[in-house]
Structures are given as structure tokens and as C-alpha cells.
């Protein structure tokens, strides 16, 4: 495990100490947890952005599905005649 030094604003330090005390954990443990969650969130957002760009490119290429097909598919959810997801014509 490595060591990193961080300068914290006084208010952040106070909240950090309160959380660590309430959880009966060290400040280092709380910081590790918070950073792990932040990194995971950033990775998910990066993946969503990548998917958004891919979807925009796909739409620009005309790979789209008519709204009425999507509505029909959504309306079939939970029924005995549930439809497969519609696919683009290209």
C-alpha cells in the first residue's frame, strides 16, 4: 500500500473526523472508501460517455428505430405477447 499526502480544507477535515469517529474507523479508511467509490463512479461515467458517442455515431449513420416500433415493444412488456426489442433496418 502506498502513502499519499493531501491538504484538506478545515471543514472537510472536520467532517472526515466526524465520519471516522461515527464509523469507528480511521480517517485513512474513510478516505480510501470515498476514493474507491469516486473512481468507480468516474469509470462508469466514462463508459456512459463512450456509449453515448457510439450511439450518436450510429444515429448519424442512419441506424435508428422508428418511435412507433419502440412504443409497441414497450407496451408489450409484461404481457403474454412480449415482443423482442426492435432493431434498426441497417
Amino acid at each position: 500500500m502506498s502513502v499519499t499526502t493531501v491538504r484538506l480544507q478545515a471543514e472537510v477535515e472536520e467532517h472526515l473526523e466526524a465520519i471516522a469517529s461515527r464509523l469507528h474507523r480511521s480517517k485513512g479508511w474513510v478516505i480510501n472508501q470515498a476514493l474507491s467509490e469516486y473512481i468507480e463512479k468516474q469509470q462508469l461515467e466514462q463508459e456512459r460517455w463512450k456509449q453515448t458517442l457510439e450511439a450518436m455515431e450510429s444515429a448519424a449513420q442512419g441506424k435508428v428505430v422508428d418511435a412507433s416500433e419502440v412504443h409497441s415493444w414497450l407496451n408489450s412488456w409484461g404481457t403474454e405477447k412480449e415482443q423482442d426489442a426492435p432493431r434498426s433496418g441497417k
Side-chain angles (χ1 to χ4, degrees), residues 21 33 39 45-46 51 60 67 71-73 76 80-81 83:
S21 177
Q33 290 298 112
I39 290 167
E45 287 184 21
Q46 184 177 12
Q51 291 173 351
H71 287 289
S72 177
W73 169 59
S76 76
E80 290 180 15
K81 296 182 180 182
Q83 301 171 7

Side-chain angles (χ1 to χ4, degrees), residues 49-63:
W49 180 244
K50 179 182 165 211
Q51 291 173 351
T52 298
L53 292 176
E54 289 170 356
M56 290 172 64
E57 177 62 28
S58 182
Q61 294 173 4
K63 297 177 183 175

Side-chain angles (χ1 to χ4, degrees), residues 61-87:
Q61 294 173 4
K63 297 177 183 175
V64 295
V65 176
D66 187 74
S68 63
E69 292 179 50
V70 174
H71 287 289
S72 177
W73 169 59
L74 292 174
N75 288 331
S76 76
W77 285 10
T79 68
E80 290 180 15
K81 296 182 180 182
E82 190 167 312
Q83 301 171 7
D84 291 333
R87 303 247 181 244

Side-chain angles (χ1 to χ4, degrees), residues 23 25 27-39:
L23 296 175
R25 297 286 191 157
K27 292 189 295 183
W29 184 90
V30 174
I31 291 169
N32 240 323
Q33 290 298 112
L35 282 174
S36 293
E37 289 178 22
Y38 178 80
I39 290 167

Side-chain angles (χ1 to χ4, degrees), residues 2-45:
S2 65
V3 175
T4 301
T5 302
V6 178
R7 294 179 193 267
L8 299 175
Q9 297 171 356
E11 184 178 322
V12 172
E13 174 72 16
E14 290 172 16
H15 288 295
L16 175 61
E17 287 180 3
I19 291 168
S21 177
R22 187 176 70 242
L23 296 175
H24 304 290
R25 297 286 191 157
S26 69
K27 292 189 295 183
W29 184 90
V30 174
I31 291 169
N32 240 323
Q33 290 298 112
L35 282 174
S36 293
E37 289 178 22
Y38 178 80
I39 290 167
E40 183 178 341
K41 179 181 175 187
Q42 290 302 309
Q43 289 171 333
L44 287 172
E45 287 184 21

